[in-house]
Amino acid sequence: MKLGFLLLHGRITSNELDDYCLTSDIRCQDFFPTLETSLYLLLTLCFQQGYDFFTLAYIFYLRLVCVCVLGRWEVEELKENTVPGDRGLVLKSVAKHHAISAMLTKAFIFDKKPLIVQYEVNFQEGIDCGGAYIKLLSSSDDLNLEYFFDKTPYTIMFGPDKCGEDYKLHFIFRHKNPKTGEYDEKHAKRPDVDLKKFYLDKKTHLYTLVLKPDNTFEMLIDQTVVSKGSLLEDVVPPVNPPKEIEDPSDKKPDDWDERPKIPDPNAVKPDDWDEDEPSKIEDPDAVKPEGWLDDEPQYVPDPNAKKPKDWDEEMDGEWEAPQIPNPKCETASGCGHWVRPMKNNPNYKGKWKAPMIDNPNYQGIWSPRKVPNPDYFEDLHPFEMTTVSAIGLELWSMTSDIYFDNFIICSEKEVADRWAADGWGLKKLVASANEPGMFSQLVTAAEDHPWLWVLYILTLALPVGLGVLFCWPTKVREIYLFLTGLILNTLFENSEDLCNNMHFKCATDIT
């Protein structure tokens, strides 16, 4: 079963699988597309070539796992804003399990130095549902990256994640209970900023986690803090359990009264209170509208309807034309038997109820008494986590081509900043250089909306026009107005085109 385990958790490639399999002529990437063809070849190999059926079935199962579950990684350049000679790790497959990891050159021990984790992510195709977080794997004697999968113990998980319209930036750490030795996941509070743009703009973004020995943390995107807090106060569930808990054996007394209000026991229903009065009565003042057609029904048989040719009266019964609204009623105030409209009954009081008064026996909302928590402990230094000796990506994504680059784990912020400048900073410069300038953006917008040219010209011409109108001789003003009209007519075929695009109602001649 070792082979199946390795395949299931992404540690064997298709070429390595061929070395294990008996039928080496069938490659993983050529796995059969349908169940029928798979069974056909399985039976053919079994009966014609003498292979053991169960051995072949197991091999086919392994190949199915390889094709349908395991994701593919590549080392590639960015699709856009490429930096020459720079390549990153790219998640290539959709709806498959991806796992890749590496040992650190030196294990990180949580003592007196801060932990800084930093790396780059680019959702090159946007992101539908999937994560791009990293895991810092816990040191242990049995840690073997050949068996890295979702249950491999980790100390910290950090990075972006998204599904539906829920955009997250995870910071999760596993805290060891000093009394039981068991581990619990602690989740940092969500950032207060809108993360959506970082997932959809197809740009490379820098994710940084800073964890300090004083139990404080910061999460940064593109070197800007988006969330910060304390390991002792800003994680869920809290690191330290409450000192007291509700006594599970305590029960509410039978005579405990939680009712703040009760019906007045001394209240008496008034003698004139009639509970039988209806809530609605006919309006005695209503008058039948003039023109009401008492003898005309609201609906009449459709005179244009014809009995279907295949209608069988013995099977279907006597045929009747479908009903349509009576055309005579369309111009009348109404048709059919007139009935007085209903109105609220002024004498209606409903079922009598005693008024509510303060309950003299009210004891408040009952709650169990508090007792000392037998599982209580106090860890004042949650920063002192399990030593980290490896880093890994273990992801499932519905979007391909997620780009990762420039991972660094260190203790000096200056080192991380220099690393960012040499990597992410260069990518940012290239992306900025490739973005169109303001003039280009204005021209592009005007190509889609030609009426913007008028707005541009009027904006530029306004100060000049004011100067001409107030400071220049009459002849110059006439020339200026003529040239302005000529320019506007040049932008559009005629004045009607101009007015229609500007959504104005104009005269025939714009000049």
Side-chain angles (χ1 to χ4, degrees):
M1 295 300 292
K2 177 181 178 182
L3 175 59
F5 186 86
L6 291 175
L7 280 170
L8 188 61
H9 302 300
R11 306 309 307 165
I12 291 183
T13 66
S14 59
N15 292 332
E16 293 171 332
L17 177 60
D18 285 332
D19 295 335
Y20 281 97
C21 294
L22 297 176
T23 56
S24 58
D25 58 315
I26 307 171
R27 297 174 301 165
C28 180
Q29 57 266 35
D30 296 330
F31 189 80
F32 319 107
T34 66
L35 178 62
E36 290 79 3
T37 54
S38 300
L39 291 175
Y40 174 78
L41 182 57
L42 177 62
L43 294 173
T44 300
L45 292 172
C46 183
F47 291 110
Q48 292 184 1
Q49 301 187 24
Y51 285 111
D52 175 69
F53 178 84
F54 293 102
T55 301
L56 284 175
Y58 181 61
I59 292 172
F60 272 55
Y61 163 74
L62 295 181
R63 292 185 179 280
L64 178 64
V65 170
C66 178
V67 171
C68 298
V69 179
L70 303 186
R72 183 166 59 92
W73 298 94
E74 295 289 350
V75 176
E76 300 176 342
E77 293 182 339
L78 281 168
K79 291 185 176 182
E80 299 179 2
N81 302 316
T82 304
V83 177
D86 186 59
R87 298 191 298 170
L89 181 66
V90 182
L91 179 150
K92 298 296 294 182
S93 307
V94 174
K96 293 187 178 181
H97 180 269
H98 298 75
I100 191 168
S101 55
M103 296 296 295
L104 303 181
T105 55
K106 180 182 178 182
F108 184 87
I109 301 174
F110 293 86
D111 48 19
K112 298 180 180 180
K113 294 183 179 181
L115 169 70
I116 300 175
V117 183
Q118 184 171 275
Y119 68 110
E120 301 168 12
V121 177
N122 188 320
F123 295 108
Q124 300 184 95
E125 300 296 335
I127 183 69
D128 293 324
C129 184
Y133 44 79
I134 63 172
K135 290 183 176 181
L136 303 187
L137 305 183
S138 304
S139 296
S140 65
D141 295 337
D142 57 354
L143 177 62
N144 186 344
L145 299 187
E146 290 296 316
Y147 297 89
F148 173 48
F149 68 119
D150 62 331
K151 301 301 182 184
T152 301
Y154 69 89
T155 299
I156 288 175
M157 191 175 95
F158 168 68
D161 188 17
K162 184 252 183 183
C163 203
E165 289 302 312
D166 190 9
Y167 299 86
K168 300 178 181 178
L169 180 59
H170 290 296
F171 166 39
I172 305 172
F173 67 96
R174 296 175 70 245
H175 177 259
K176 185 177 181 180
N177 187 312
K179 296 189 70 172
T180 65
E182 297 180 353
Y183 285 87
D184 295 315
E185 288 186 349
K186 310 297 181 182
H187 296 247
K189 64 180 182 181
R190 296 174 67 100
D192 294 329
V193 301
D194 184 6
L195 300 175
K196 186 174 182 178
K197 63 178 181 179
F198 301 110
Y199 295 73
L200 302 180
D201 62 6
K202 300 182 180 180
K203 294 181 179 180
T204 303
H205 293 288
L206 185 71
Y207 294 88
T208 308
L209 171 66
V210 179
L211 194 56
K212 299 179 181 179
D214 63 358
N215 299 315
T216 61
F217 67 87
E218 291 182 339
M219 288 188 280
L220 302 89
I221 302 180
D222 297 344
Q223 298 184 317
T224 298
V225 176
V226 297
S227 180
K228 60 182 179 179
S230 167
L231 300 179
L232 290 168
E233 299 174 359
D234 300 302
V235 298
V236 179
V239 168
N240 295 309
K243 291 184 178 181
E244 292 184 326
I245 60 172
E246 294 180 348
D247 186 354
S249 64
D250 193 14
K251 295 182 180 180
K252 182 172 68 173
D254 295 336
D255 60 349
W256 190 277
D257 196 340
E258 293 182 325
R259 300 173 299 166
K261 297 281 187 178
I262 61 171
D264 185 355
N266 300 318
V268 179
K269 183 174 71 172
D271 295 335
D272 60 349
W273 190 285
D274 188 352
E275 296 182 342
D276 296 328
E277 284 283 350
S279 61
K280 298 282 187 179
I281 59 173
E282 289 187 353
D283 186 357
D285 300 324
V287 178
K288 182 170 64 175
E290 294 184 2
W292 188 280
L293 305 178
D294 294 273
D295 298 329
E296 289 291 338
Q298 291 185 352
Y299 292 91
V300 296
D302 185 356
N304 299 320
K306 296 182 179 181
K307 182 173 69 173
K309 294 181 179 180
D310 58 350
W311 188 274
D312 188 343
E313 291 192 353
E314 292 183 359
M315 297 291 294
D316 304 323
E318 184 180 356
W319 181 82
E320 295 180 357
Q323 299 285 304
I324 62 172
N326 189 342
K328 294 181 180 180
C329 298
E330 293 180 359
T331 57
S333 56
C335 290
H337 177 65
W338 181 76
V339 179
R340 293 181 183 276
M342 305 295 286
K343 71 172 188 177
N344 292 329
N345 183 358
N347 298 320
Y348 172 73
K349 297 183 179 181
K351 191 74 174 177
W352 181 84
K353 295 180 180 179
M356 303 298 286
I357 61 172
D358 292 335
N359 183 1
N361 298 320
Y362 176 63
Q363 296 174 271
I365 302 301
W366 183 87
S367 60
R369 62 174 175 266
K370 297 288 186 177
V371 295
N373 184 358
D375 299 322
Y376 173 73
F377 62 83
E378 187 175 37
D379 181 359
L380 299 178
H381 305 286
F383 171 80
E384 298 175 358
M385 304 177 190
T386 304
T387 299
V388 170
S389 59
I391 183 174
L393 294 168
E394 184 272 312
L395 305 168
W396 182 278
S397 175
M398 295 302 295
T399 307
S400 63
D401 293 312
I402 303 177
Y403 177 96
F404 301 86
D405 201 4
N406 292 327
F407 299 86
I408 184 172
I409 299 174
C410 63
S411 296
E412 296 78 25
K413 189 65 167 60
E414 296 77 12
V415 173
D417 290 342
R418 288 198 303 269
W419 184 266
D422 293 339
W424 171 76
L426 187 58
K427 292 185 179 72
K428 183 180 179 182
L429 288 175
V430 172
S432 299
N434 291 336
E435 287 184 352
M438 181 174 292
F439 179 77
S440 299
Q441 295 180 39
L442 293 175
V443 172
T444 301
E447 290 175 354
D448 296 332
H449 307 285
W451 57 267
L452 285 174
W453 285 113
V454 178
L455 182 62
Y456 298 162
I457 291 175
L458 292 178
T459 302
L460 295 174
L462 181 61
V464 177
L466 292 174
V468 169
L469 290 174
F470 292 101
C471 304
W472 289 65
T474 303
K475 188 65 176 177
V476 175
R477 291 201 301 271
E478 293 177 354
I479 295 174
Y480 172 78
L481 294 173
F482 173 78
L483 291 177
T484 302
L486 183 63
I487 293 173
L488 293 175
N489 273 322
T490 304
L491 291 175
F492 297 88
E493 293 181 2
N494 52 58
S495 59
E496 291 182 359
D497 290 338
L498 172 63
C499 295
N500 291 334
N501 281 278
M502 291 292 290
H503 307 290
F504 291 150
K505 185 176 181 181
C506 301
T508 303
D509 189 358
I510 196 170
T511 58

